[in-house]
Structures are given as structure tokens and as C-alpha cells.
């Protein structure tokens, strides 16, 4: 489908140099963007709103926002939403390459995709597809559906700056996050404020909140160390939600390490197989670490649950609101602390286990 179907069809039609060869009757239906949702509709007899959303790399994200609005407006109880991409062909690679949008780190292809790195020089073309089921909460509870997450707010903005480049001041990114938080009724209640400062360290505090819960986060920076201490004081009053702390260090690695009662274990940071996808979180004790040649980042913590890894992202699970047997299991006041520890070499030579 998509651009590959269009390329193949045009090659076939123009192959004799006269352009007289017959077009396939499936040419248009293979090419148009909303045919994926059309096939899903026909296969499962879904008769609600059905169309495609087109906004380049943000298409599937915007499709999720549209699906959410369809449910909020009462036009549907369930929406299937997602995206698909298959552009590895001459047209796709050639077009993006001429724009200088693709990474040229061919000698480092395993780590060439580094979207948040200072050394990023472009993206790596990929192919894939994914779908989510969005459902009205009461409708999902009534049929006993397993709920993975709740979508509270969405937003969309434009940089109004350049055909392909983002605004250098990040105006669009700032606005869209601010608007999404506003719609979700999640606000920074008191902003970031200085609460303590001396000759050795400085501490800032931020207070976040939802309709029911409050999270106070104290962040301490040290004069003589690159370590960062974080303390959370939380009044947790949520149901069917999971609270995580996520970290996105500029570390390029395919493996991560977790402390256990018997030493440490190694985990992949990618999910290329179903086995890797199933091992989405690791129960650990004191620390987790991601390192590359020359250095890395460790998170030393006292959390209750596990740690997850995906690409160059680490996440700590702090609190949960379970579906069963007790949906109130973590309701109440909690305190958590962890330390972000940059280090040279790997975690063994840095002696992270002794911190």
C-alpha cells in the first residue's frame, strides 16, 4: 500500500515509454491513506466514524486525539486508532535523502537512531504499524476490559516556522504540552521554586497535581558532584492508574543492568521479539544502570516496584492503583527518593553497587 503501490504502478505504466499500459483497478484503493481503517472496518463490521488523519510524522498521534474526541462527543463508545508506515523504497529514501533528513551514520547503524541526542544528524527510516483501542471508561468497565491507561488530555499546535525544521525556541512543543496539561486538568500548582541553598547544594521544589492527587518533588543539585537527588512526597488518591518516573539520558546502548539480591542482571533495551516485549519490567533492589563507551547513568532508588527499559529510556514504577484484588492498595501518603548518578566507565568500574 501507500507510496510503494504508487511507485510500482507508475513504473509499470511507464515501462514501455508510452504510458499506455493499463492501470490496476486496485491502484487508488491501495494508495489512499484511509484504506487501512477501511479494511479494519470491513473485517470486524465496525460501522462508526471511519477516516484517515494526515499530518506527516504526527499522523497517528493526531489520529488518537481525534479518536478521543469522537468518544467524548458521544459519537462512539469504542474507537480503533493507530498508524502504519511502509516507505522504504526508492521514492521514500530518495525523497528524504534529498532533503538531508536521513542520518548518514552508516558506520554506526545500530545506534544511528538517536532522536534526543546532541549528535543526532537525521532519522533512520523504518516500517511498522500499531493500533490502540480507545474506549469510554464506563463501557470498558461494564464489559470487564483490561484497562492499560487513561487518556486525560490532548492538544495540537503548529510552529508556523519552517517546512521541516522545528522552531529554535521550541514554541510549538511548549504550547502543545501546556495545552494538553490544561485539558487534562493537571497543573503545576506553585511552579518551580527555590527552597534551600547553601555552599554545598541547592534544592528546588515543584508541586504537581491532578483532580485527586498531589505530588511534591524536591530536586537537589550539588556543588562538588554531578549527582542529582530527587524526593517525592505524594498524596495518592487514584484508581486504575500507574505513577512512574521516567528518565531519558543521552546514552546509546542496547543493554541495561539491574541490581538484584544475587548481584545484577542484564536486560536488552529494545523489544524486537515477543520475548523481549514480555519482559517489560524488572523487579530490582537498589539500582539500575545504562552505560555506553566512556560513561553512563545509574538510578539509585528505594522504590516499591520495578524498573523498565526501552531504547534510551529508563522508568521507575512508584505507585499503582490496581484493578484487583484491591483497587485502593496504594491510596494514601507516600515518600520516595532516588539519585541520578552520572559516571565514567561502566557500572562495575564506577562501583555503583557501593553507593
Amino acid at each position: 500500500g501507500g507510496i510503494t503501490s504508487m511507485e510500482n504502478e507508475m513504473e509499470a505504466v511507464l515501462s514501455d515509454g508510452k504510458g499506455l499500459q493499463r492501470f490496476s483497478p486496485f491502484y487508488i484503493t491501495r494508495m489512499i491513506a484511509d484504506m487501512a481503517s477501511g479494511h479494519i472496518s470491513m473485517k470486524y463490521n465496525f460501522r462508526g466514524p471511519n477516516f484517515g488523519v494526515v499530518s506527516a510524522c504526527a499522523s497517528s498521534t493526531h489520529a488518537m486525539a481525534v479518536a478521543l474526541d469522537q468518544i467524548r462527543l458521544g459519537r462512539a463508545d469504542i474507537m480503533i486508532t493507530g498508524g502504519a508506515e511502509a516507505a522504504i523504497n526508492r521514492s521514500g529514501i530518495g525523497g528524504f535523502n534529498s532533503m538531508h533528513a536521513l542520518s548518514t551514520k552508516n558506520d554506526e547503524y545500530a545506534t544511528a537512531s538517536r532522536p534526543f541526542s546532541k549528535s543526532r544528524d537525521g532519522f533512520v527510516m523504518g516500517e511498522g504499524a500499531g493500533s490502540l483501542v480507545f474506549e469510554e471508561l464506563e463501557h470498558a468497565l461494564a464489559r470487564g476490559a483490561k484497562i492499560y491507561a487513561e487518556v486525560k488530555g490532548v492538544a495540537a499546535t503548529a510552529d508556523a516556522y519552517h517546512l521541516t525544521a522545528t522552531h529554535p525556541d521550541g514554541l510549538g512543543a511548549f504550547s502543545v504540552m501546556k495545552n494538553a496539561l490544561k485539558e487534562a486538568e493537571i497543573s503545576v500548582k506553585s511552579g518551580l521554586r527555590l527552597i534551600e541553598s547553601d555552599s554545598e547544594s541547592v534544592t528546588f521544589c515543584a508541586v504537581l497535581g491532578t483532580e485527586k492527587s498531589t505530588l511534591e518533588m524536591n530536586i537537589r543539585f550539588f556543588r562538588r558532584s554531578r549527582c542529582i537527588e530527587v524526593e517525592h512526597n505524594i498524596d495518592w488518591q487514584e484508581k486504575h492508574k500507574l505513577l512512574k518516573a521516567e528518565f531519558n539520558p543521552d546514552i546509546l546502548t542496547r543493554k541495561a543492568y539491574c541490581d538484584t539480591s544475587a548481584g545484577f542482571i542484564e536486560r536488552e533495551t529494545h523489544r524486537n521479539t515477543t520475548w523481549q516485549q514480555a519482559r517489560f519490567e524488572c523487579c530490582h533492589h537498589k539500582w539500575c544502570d545504562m552505560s555506553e563507551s566512556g560513561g553512563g547513568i545509574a538510578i539509585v532508588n528505594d522504590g516499591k516496584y520495578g524498573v523498565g527499559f526501552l531504547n534510551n529510556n529508563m522508568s521507575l514504577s512508584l505507585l499503582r492503583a490496581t484493578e484487583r484484588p484491591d483497587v485502593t492498595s496504594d491510596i494514601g501518603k507516600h515518600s520516595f527518593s532516588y539519585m541520578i548518578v552520572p559516571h565514567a566507565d561502566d557500572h562495575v568500574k564506577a562501583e555503583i553497587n557501593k553507593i
Side-chain angles (χ1 to χ4, degrees):
I3 193 171
T4 299
S5 292
M6 182 173 66
E7 181 179 279
N8 292 341
E9 194 72 22
M10 294 308 298
E11 282 184 352
V13 169
L14 300 175
S15 60
D16 61 357
K18 299 179 181 180
L20 299 178
Q21 185 169 329
R22 179 176 177 268
F23 279 94
S24 167
F26 299 108
Y27 170 45
I28 298 299
T29 58
R30 285 173 178 166
M31 185 184 65
I32 56 179
D34 59 336
M35 193 48 62
S37 63
H39 279 291
I40 293 173
S41 171
M42 290 185 290
K43 181 173 181 178
Y44 296 102
N45 199 32
F46 294 155
R47 297 179 179 273
N50 185 341
F51 52 88
V53 177
V54 179
S55 54
C57 298
S59 296
S60 57
T61 305
H62 285 154
M64 295 178 195
V66 172
L68 176 65
D69 286 341
Q70 294 296 314
I71 294 174
R72 285 175 167 175
L73 292 170
R75 294 172 178 169
D77 293 318
I78 300 177
M79 293 291 293
I80 311 300
T81 181
E85 182 70 281
I88 298 181
N89 52 39
R90 283 186 295 176
S91 299
I93 297 295
F96 281 112
N97 186 62
S98 66
M99 296 167 60
H100 302 285
L102 299 181
S103 172
T104 59
K105 295 183 183 296
N106 298 321
D107 55 337
E108 303 176 40
Y109 59 88
T111 58
S113 180
R114 49 185 79 177
F116 303 107
S117 172
K118 292 180 180 179
S119 61
R120 178 186 182 275
D121 71 333
F123 69 88
V124 177
M125 184 72 81
E127 295 188 340
S131 295
L132 295 174
V133 178
F134 279 22
E135 185 169 1
E136 194 274 328
L137 178 59
E138 296 304 322
H139 189 275
L141 293 174
R143 70 182 185 89
K146 184 175 181 179
I147 300 173
Y148 292 92
E150 180 180 4
V151 183
K152 296 284 289 183
V154 298
T157 60
D159 277 351
Y161 173 71
H162 188 270
L163 282 174
T164 57
T166 57
H167 196 286
D169 294 330
L171 299 182
F174 175 81
S175 296
V176 77
M177 288 187 283
K178 180 181 178 181
N179 294 342
L181 288 170
K182 181 179 180 180
E183 182 176 283
E185 298 182 340
I186 298 173
S187 60
V188 179
K189 294 183 178 180
S190 59
L192 187 67
R193 69 184 191 276
L194 177 66
I195 62 172
E196 184 179 354
S197 178
D198 56 40
S199 60
E200 296 300 321
S201 66
V202 59
T203 305
F204 295 92
C205 177
V207 180
L208 308 172
T210 66
E211 296 176 1
K212 301 176 182 178
S213 302
T214 302
L215 186 153
E216 179 185 88
M217 181 168 58
N218 297 322
I219 310 167
R220 176 174 293 178
F221 300 90
F222 298 91
R223 177 186 176 190
R224 304 178 190 276
S225 171
R226 293 191 299 161
C227 297
I228 303 171
E229 282 187 356
V230 182
E231 179 184 5
H232 292 290
N233 297 306
I234 304 167
D235 184 2
W236 183 247
Q237 302 295 330
E238 305 295 332
K239 295 182 179 180
H240 308 294
K241 290 182 175 65
L242 180 67
L243 179 65
K244 290 189 175 186
E246 293 200 347
F247 312 88
N248 193 250
D250 190 9
I251 301 293
L252 301 176
T253 181
R254 296 174 66 84
K255 295 180 180 178
Y257 300 89
C258 294
D259 175 45
T260 69
S261 59
F264 63 86
I265 61 172
E266 179 183 291
R267 276 287 172 86
E268 299 93 347
T269 61
H270 53 276
R271 298 178 186 172
N272 296 335
T273 66
T274 54
W275 170 240
Q276 290 165 342
Q277 292 169 9
R279 304 167 73 196
F280 63 91
E281 192 165 273
C282 173
C283 294
H284 73 305
H285 285 241
K286 185 179 178 182
W287 58 265
C288 58
D289 182 272
M290 295 177 71
S291 299
E292 62 181 356
S293 176
I297 292 287
I299 308 296
V300 182
N301 74 101
D302 62 357
K304 294 172 60 176
Y305 301 119
V307 58
F309 303 99
L310 181 60
N311 300 324
N312 64 335
N313 179 276
M314 290 189 286
S315 62
L316 292 176
S317 294
L318 300 180
L319 289 170
R320 61 181 178 176
T322 58
E323 294 181 14
R324 53 185 180 273
D326 182 9
V327 297
T328 66
S329 58
D330 273 348
I331 285 181
K333 295 184 178 180
H334 304 266
S335 293
F336 300 99
S337 62
Y338 50 85
M339 180 180 288
I340 304 169
V341 185
H343 59 81
D345 300 315
D346 58 27
H347 70 93
V348 177
K349 294 180 181 178
E351 297 184 327
I352 297 300
N353 63 316
K354 296 183 179 181
I355 296 177

Coordinates of all heavy atoms in Angstrom, one line a residue, residues 71 77-78 134-145 147 150 212 240:
I71 N -15.2 9.9 21.0 CA -15.8 9.2 22.2 C -16.4 10.3 23.1 O -17.5 10.2 23.7 CB -14.8 8.4 22.9 CG1 -14.4 7.2 22.1 CG2 -15.3 7.9 24.3 CD1 -13.3 6.3 22.6
D77 N -18.6 4.5 21.3 CA -18.1 4.0 22.6 C -16.7 3.5 22.6 O -16.0 3.5 23.5 CB -19.1 2.9 23.1 CG -20.4 3.4 23.4 OD1 -20.5 4.5 24.0 OD2 -21.4 2.8 23.1
I78 N -16.4 3.0 21.4 CA -15.0 2.4 21.1 C -14.5 2.9 19.8 O -15.2 3.0 18.8 CB -15.1 0.8 21.1 CG1 -15.6 0.3 22.4 CG2 -13.7 0.3 20.8 CD1 -15.8 -1.2 22.4
F134 N -9.3 2.7 22.0 CA -9.8 3.7 22.9 C -11.3 3.4 23.2 O -12.1 3.1 22.3 CB -9.7 5.1 22.2 CG -8.4 5.7 22.3 CD1 -7.2 5.0 22.5 CD2 -8.2 7.1 22.2 CE1 -6.0 5.5 22.5 CE2 -7.0 7.7 22.2 CZ -5.8 6.9 22.4
E135 N -11.6 3.5 24.5 CA -13.0 3.1 24.9 C -13.5 4.0 26.1 O -12.7 4.4 27.0 CB -13.0 1.7 25.4 CG -14.4 1.1 25.7 CD -14.3 -0.4 25.8 OE1 -13.3 -1.0 25.7 OE2 -15.4 -1.0 26.1
E136 N -14.7 4.4 26.0 CA -15.3 5.1 27.1 C -15.2 4.3 28.4 O -15.5 3.1 28.4 CB -16.8 5.4 26.8 CG -17.5 6.4 27.6 CD -18.0 5.8 28.9 OE1 -18.5 4.7 28.9 OE2 -18.0 6.6 29.9
L137 N -14.9 4.9 29.5 CA -14.5 4.2 30.7 C -15.6 3.3 31.2 O -15.4 2.1 31.5 CB -14.1 5.2 31.8 CG -13.7 4.6 33.2 CD1 -12.6 3.7 33.1 CD2 -13.4 5.7 34.2
E138 N -16.8 3.8 31.4 CA -17.9 3.0 31.9 C -18.2 1.8 31.0 O -18.5 0.7 31.5 CB -19.1 3.9 32.2 CG -18.9 5.0 33.2 CD -18.5 4.4 34.5 OE1 -18.9 3.3 34.9 OE2 -17.6 5.1 35.2
H139 N -18.1 2.1 29.7 CA -18.3 1.0 28.7 C -17.3 -0.1 28.9 O -17.6 -1.3 28.9 CB -18.3 1.6 27.3 CG -18.7 0.6 26.3 ND1 -17.9 -0.3 25.7 CD2 -20.0 0.5 25.7 CE1 -18.6 -1.0 24.8 NE2 -19.8 -0.5 24.7
A140 N -16.0 0.3 29.1 CA -15.0 -0.7 29.3 C -15.1 -1.5 30.6 O -14.9 -2.7 30.6 CB -13.6 0.0 29.3
L141 N -15.5 -0.8 31.7 CA -15.7 -1.5 32.9 C -16.8 -2.4 32.9 O -16.8 -3.5 33.5 CB -15.9 -0.4 34.0 CG -14.7 0.5 34.4 CD1 -15.1 1.6 35.4 CD2 -13.5 -0.3 34.9
A142 N -17.9 -2.0 32.2 CA -19.1 -2.9 32.1 C -18.8 -4.2 31.4 O -19.4 -5.2 31.8 CB -20.2 -2.1 31.4
R143 N -17.9 -4.2 30.5 CA -17.6 -5.5 29.8 C -16.3 -6.2 30.3 O -15.9 -7.2 29.8 CB -17.4 -5.2 28.3 CG -16.2 -4.5 27.8 CD -16.2 -4.3 26.3 NE -14.9 -3.6 25.9 CZ -13.8 -4.3 25.5 NH1 -13.8 -5.6 25.5 NH2 -12.8 -3.7 25.1
G144 N -15.8 -5.6 31.4 CA -14.6 -6.3 32.0 C -13.3 -6.2 31.3 O -12.5 -7.0 31.4
A145 N -13.2 -5.1 30.5 CA -12.0 -4.9 29.7 C -10.8 -4.6 30.5 O -10.9 -4.0 31.6 CB -12.2 -3.8 28.7
I147 N -7.8 -2.5 31.4 CA -7.5 -1.1 31.1 C -6.0 -0.8 31.4 O -5.5 -1.1 32.5 CB -8.3 -0.1 32.0 CG1 -9.8 -0.3 31.7 CG2 -7.9 1.3 31.8 CD1 -10.7 0.4 32.7
E150 N -5.3 5.7 31.0 CA -6.4 6.7 30.7 C -5.8 7.9 30.0 O -4.8 8.4 30.4 CB -7.0 7.1 32.0 CG -8.1 8.1 31.9 CD -8.8 8.6 33.2 OE1 -8.3 8.1 34.2 OE2 -9.7 9.3 33.1
K212 N -7.4 14.7 42.1 CA -7.5 14.0 43.3 C -6.1 13.9 44.1 O -6.1 13.8 45.3 CB -8.0 12.5 43.1 CG -9.3 12.4 42.4 CD -9.7 11.0 42.2 CE -11.0 10.9 41.5 NZ -11.3 9.4 41.2
H240 N -7.0 2.9 39.0 CA -6.7 2.4 37.7 C -5.6 3.3 37.0 O -5.7 3.6 35.8 CB -8.0 2.4 36.8 CG -9.1 1.7 37.4 ND1 -9.1 0.3 37.6 CD2 -10.3 2.1 37.9 CE1 -10.2 -0.1 38.1 NE2 -11.0 1.0 38.3

